[in-house]
Amino acid sequence: MTALDEVKIGGLGASRLRVEDQRFVRGRGTYLDDIKLPGMLYMEIVRSPLAHARITRIDTSKAWQIPGVRLVLTGEMMAQRNLAWMPTLSYDTQAVLATDKVRFQGQEVVVVVADDPYIAKDGCDAVEIDYEPLPAIVNPEQSAAPGAPIIRDDKPGQTDNTCYRWEVGDREATERAFAEADVVSSLKLHYPRSHPSPIECCGAVADFDAGTGKLTVYMTTQAPHIVRAAVALIAELPEHQIRIVSPDIGGGFGNKVPVYPGYVHAILASILTGRPVKWIEDKTGNLISTGFGRDMYLDAQMALRRDGKILAVRMHADTDQGAFFADAQPSKFKVGLLHSAFACYDIGIGYITAQGHYTNKAPGGVAYRCSFRVTEAMFFQERMMQAAATDLGMDQAEFRRINLRRDVAFPARTPFGFLVDSGQYHKCLQVGLDAIGYDEFRREQAAAREKGRLLGIGISTMTEPLGAGNSREYDILGIKMFDSAELRVHLTGKAILRTGARTQGQGHETTWAQIVAHELGIPADDVVVEEGDTDTAPYGMGTYASRSTPVAGAAVSMAARKVRAKARKIAAHLLEVSEEDVEWELGRFYVRGAPERGASIQECAMAAYSNMPDGMEPGLEATAYYDPPNLTWPFACYIVTVEVDPETGVWDVLRVVAVDDCGVRINPMIVEGQIMGGLTEAYAMASMQFQTYDADGNMIGANYMDYLLPTAWETPGFELHEVVTPCPHHPIGAKGVGECAAVGGPAAFVNAVIDAIGDAGVRNIDMPLLPDRVWTALQTRQSVS
Ligand code: CDP
């Protein structure tokens, strides 16, 4: 017998082509808009043109008169059913349809349901609404100003615009460390509001069957079971009569985690009309009303010893939450995992405070390709590292070397309570420095500067916590953050695997089968993966924040191991030896000492249905629920070189080097794709992508002429490298990877531009680094030098 070649059967380490692409490249995916049910009606939303205004009149009579209009829903009608407001996943409330006031531009005010989408649009145009404008609040400073109008006057006891306050760390010890510091470095930053902007917008097809009482909702959700729980709790429908189906999803990036009012409208409309109702946002609707990311102001200081040792960090964050606190994050920490900042550095002391502010902007602060504010944390961390090294007059790489945790220093507790458990941070940094040719570049940079050319190099090193959660600290609506997998091996040895996660392009259909191949030796091509239907999938908390591999992926391993344990008993029966005498190699059991006597996993599967031992239950299947003991801690080092044009402020990327340690790679090709996607988003955030508002609360960035996404034309090339430190507690040693480059990348780009122009006093330019901002900073530099 020759042992199976794991890579050949598509196990761990195989760069297996994505099986889902078979249907996607042929145009055979089933996205929400592909779903057409008999008798289906179409829904459109009338949105507020104003950011803050009292509603004085709503007249829907003309809309009702349009032939083909079947239903016009107002906030008043929702209120009669106790549905005008709904709870958010962050324990706030959110208007489903406005009754008293509108609180952001784009807020949902009236819903029209009609025979086709065009009639529904005409119906929207026929609705008359009078508003009495109120002053708009568009940033935390205005929100906290004395006498500012109270946005959430609907909330009993709300006397100002504070959404939350939060703190962590040891304030007194931090003050003492700052008093003893040789140097105190400070930095203020704004991480601008950006939008995940999936290519497919949010939407739902709600289908209530009055005959059976069953509600089926097809929707673009990253977390179908959470939605089922929310519908059961909000609409008080029996949970077993609710089926949420998440079909193929055209990108999520955190935008499709929250429960949006549109879903509730569509469900109620289907119940009231007795017909299926389809709602799909247009692009502007998606950009102005659904979960944005970031919009955080940071003010921080670092206490330093002259030799480069960081003694303590202190920071304050102001988050602009918009009109409703709906950031849909599963921790008990109000500002998500912001306090994971500085986890890769050996810093003993720190103190963080945060305050959330209501403003007249769309609600959100979602984990846009990020683990709940980790992007802001890592951006701030790496910008602060650069400022501190500059203040000390120390080399950027050397300053990191002095402070990065050593390989022997694990596990280690950060001053904010996280347990970092593994990593080779110094090696990762060195691989990056060697790849970019750090010393050589510094020489080139100095020579270029003599000739008036501005070259810069930016480093970003970071570890981040991926894979919420452990159930002690992470839950949504009280439901713990575990995940699940169910594996059924059929009698011919082919298998079906279902998980509680939901892929939105990450390739789970490919990689989960690879984990089964690794555990059982069943070729990955013989395993079909299904996700996203709450009637069939085991209960899970969905896919966001790169949690799938750390949690659902681990559950896949554990389910396969349960199957293997049962198959071992069957093998012992087939081989007529005791179980203790049975050994395992990939795909096959054999008799200890007589390796030629064996039974393949496929033979065991057949026997599980046709020749099982006496007293054994037939069948070969298992379910596993996995509650991770800790988060996983991938590490990365991103290094970018740029050239800035001193005349125009335009900057070009010269090279991007990425070194990622995501533990064991299931599918190296998919991992590389994830890293390239993340780096592209990092480049977008650093160079062009943001949403802003004018003084009246009008959103700038409501379409793709104003909200820029990089195309293949602008996006630089990426040079990828790897270091592998297996995760000590994950069954196959894997860590999450999907978001790492989007989280750690932006600081590398910004640090590079600041490095190019910062020699005379430019400490910061807020993202995106548009040429005019860089040019303005260059003027400061020239006037200083
Ligand atoms: O939760 P999400 O799927 O967005 O993120 P992830 O767990 O980081 O996984 C993204 C994709 O990369 C999935 O297809 C994973 O199976 C794959 N991956 C991998 O092949 N090896 C790893 N160590 C981590 C992720």
Side-chain angles (χ1 to χ4, degrees), residues 1-4 519-522 564 567-568 571 575 582-591 594-604:
M1 273 303 298
T2 45
L4 279 179
E519 296 289 354
L520 294 178
I522 295 177
R564 196 167 71 205
R568 176 185 293 276
L575 298 168
V582 172
E583 296 281 352
W584 168 255
E585 64 180 0
L586 191 64
R588 175 176 180 269
F589 295 97
Y590 62 90
V591 178
E596 69 289 350
R597 285 187 59 213
S600 70
I601 188 76
Q602 288 81 4
E603 286 164 334
C604 294

Side-chain angles (χ1 to χ4, degrees), residues 679-699:
L679 287 171
T680 305
E681 289 189 51
Y683 171 66
M685 287 185 249
S687 64
M688 64 181 77
Q689 199 170 81
F690 72 134
Q691 290 187 317
T692 186
Y693 290 77
D694 71 11
D696 295 324
N698 295 308
M699 151 127 15

Side-chain angles (χ1 to χ4, degrees), residues 58-98:
I58 298 180
D59 184 348
T60 59
S61 51
K62 293 199 178 99
W64 279 106
Q65 283 159 20
I66 296 176
V69 167
R70 303 287 167 178
L71 180 71
V72 185
L73 271 178
T74 61
E76 191 77 2
M77 292 161 74
M78 300 297 273
Q80 284 161 14
R81 291 162 178 85
N82 206 18
L83 282 175
W85 291 83
M86 64 178 184
T88 70
L89 297 178
S90 305
Y91 302 99
D92 194 6
T93 48
Q94 175 169 2
V96 180
L97 282 179

Side-chain angles (χ1 to χ4, degrees), residues 466 504 506-508 511-512 543-550 662-668 670-671 674 734-739:
L466 294 186
Q504 312 119 41
Q506 297 93 331
H508 295 177
T511 49
W512 293 168
T543 291
Y544 35 87
S546 294
R547 68 183 297 275
S548 304
T549 302
C662 61
V664 172
R665 295 182 175 202
I666 303 163
N667 182 321
I670 286 186
V671 167
Q674 293 286 313
K735 310 174 188 182
V737 73
E739 69 189 43

